[in-house]
Amino acid sequence: MHYQRKWKHGSLDLRQPTERCGAPGCDRQPRTRYAEYCEAHYMRLRRTGSLEMIGATPVIDHTGGYRLVYAPNHPLARPRHPHVYEHRKVFHDAHGAGPFNCHVCGVRVTWADMDVDHLNDVRDDNRIENLAPACEICNPWRGKHKAIKTRRERHARWIEFRGERLTMTDWAARLGIASSNLTRRLRLWTIERALTEKRGVTGPKITSPKRLAR
């Protein structure tokens, strides 16, 4: 008995039952017979570390780059989720309940199955002129191409020539040849010839190192 008392309460003395919550000004019953606080103050202390009520955060920066705003009574708010995505709230406040047409393919969409797309790809730029309705297929499709472009720009080989900086793929597309052929050109020719000579009738003529040695 004394072992359990010491383990639970840190003292060998018999702990007296509490009659009311220990928070200042609270007359509620404690959550259990020997608890110090009522259920509300216990959960408040556990969540925030304080017995004082902390107001809801008006704006939250989401990890995905989006912003959430506190709007518990908004039509787009879900039960037990008082925060709403700011870009969806801005679009709803400006255009109402819909339905709308996807700005990419034109298909009919509603708030139950639509996304609000950022036209300039900046996720926290929630000006109404930067927002447009999109279906669940077109919005990820645009995001996929943006991700490919970002990855390409990060890992691509860049070539600067005559004040113009393009990737290897862009230079090859301009010349009408494959990237592998442009790689061979740059290895065997001067950069000026490699980036200015167009593709011939039967494809680019690459002089072999042996012929150049002659």
Side-chain angles (χ1 to χ4, degrees):
M1 179 186 66
H2 286 94
Y3 168 79
Q4 291 292 333
R5 191 179 299 172
K6 179 70 174 178
W7 181 76
K8 288 182 179 180
H9 311 303
S11 174
L12 297 176
D13 297 332
L14 180 62
R15 187 175 181 181
Q16 299 298 322
T18 53
E19 297 180 357
R20 65 175 187 175
C21 177
C26 182
D27 295 328
R28 298 190 186 96
Q29 294 291 327
R31 57 191 301 268
T32 62
R33 184 179 180 185
Y34 297 103
E36 186 176 0
Y37 301 108
C38 65
E39 186 69 26
H41 284 99
Y42 168 78
M43 294 303 297
R44 191 178 300 170
L45 183 65
R46 180 177 177 181
R47 290 172 180 169
T48 66
S50 173
L51 295 175
E52 301 295 330
M53 180 178 291
I54 300 177
T57 306
V59 180
I60 299 176
D61 292 327
H62 195 268
T63 55
Y66 301 102
R67 302 181 69 188
L68 296 166
V69 294
Y70 182 74
N73 299 321
H74 196 270
L76 297 181
R78 297 174 297 168
R80 300 179 179 272
H81 292 81
H83 286 83
V84 181
Y85 282 105
E86 186 179 45
H87 60 288
R88 293 176 66 86
K89 180 180 182 299
V90 170
F91 192 87
H92 186 280
D93 293 345
H95 299 291
F100 310 97
N101 294 324
C102 173
H103 76 103
V104 179
C105 66
V107 69
R108 201 76 163 171
V109 291
T110 64
W111 282 105
D113 59 357
M114 69 173 277
D115 296 330
V116 178
D117 194 9
H118 291 83
L119 299 178
N120 64 356
D121 302 334
V122 180
R123 295 180 177 179
D124 58 355
D125 184 2
N126 297 320
R127 295 173 293 115
I128 187 60
E129 56 269 20
N130 187 43
L131 305 176
C135 65
E136 295 179 337
I137 297 178
C138 291
N139 194 39
W141 173 79
R142 276 186 17 96
K144 178 181 178 181
H145 283 264
K146 288 181 287 186
I148 294 175
K149 180 181 178 181
T150 301
R151 185 169 60 251
R152 175 185 170 189
E153 291 178 352
R154 183 178 302 173
H155 301 287
R157 178 182 174 185
W158 292 87
I159 302 175
E160 187 170 354
F161 178 66
R162 293 180 178 176
E164 192 172 10
R165 186 172 182 267
L166 299 175
T167 64
M168 176 81 74
T169 304
D170 292 333
W171 283 114
R174 177 177 294 187
L175 297 170
I177 62 177
S179 299
S180 58
N181 287 337
L182 180 56
T183 302
R184 295 177 59 198
R185 282 188 175 195
L186 292 171
R187 188 171 64 248
L188 301 174
W189 293 355
T190 63
I191 187 172
E192 182 174 2
R193 182 186 179 189
L195 297 181
T196 56
E197 186 169 323
K198 297 290 185 177
R199 176 177 179 177
V201 179
T202 59
K205 301 293 185 179
I206 303 296
T207 305
S208 64
K210 293 182 179 180
R211 183 169 296 179
L212 288 175
R214 294 176 185 175

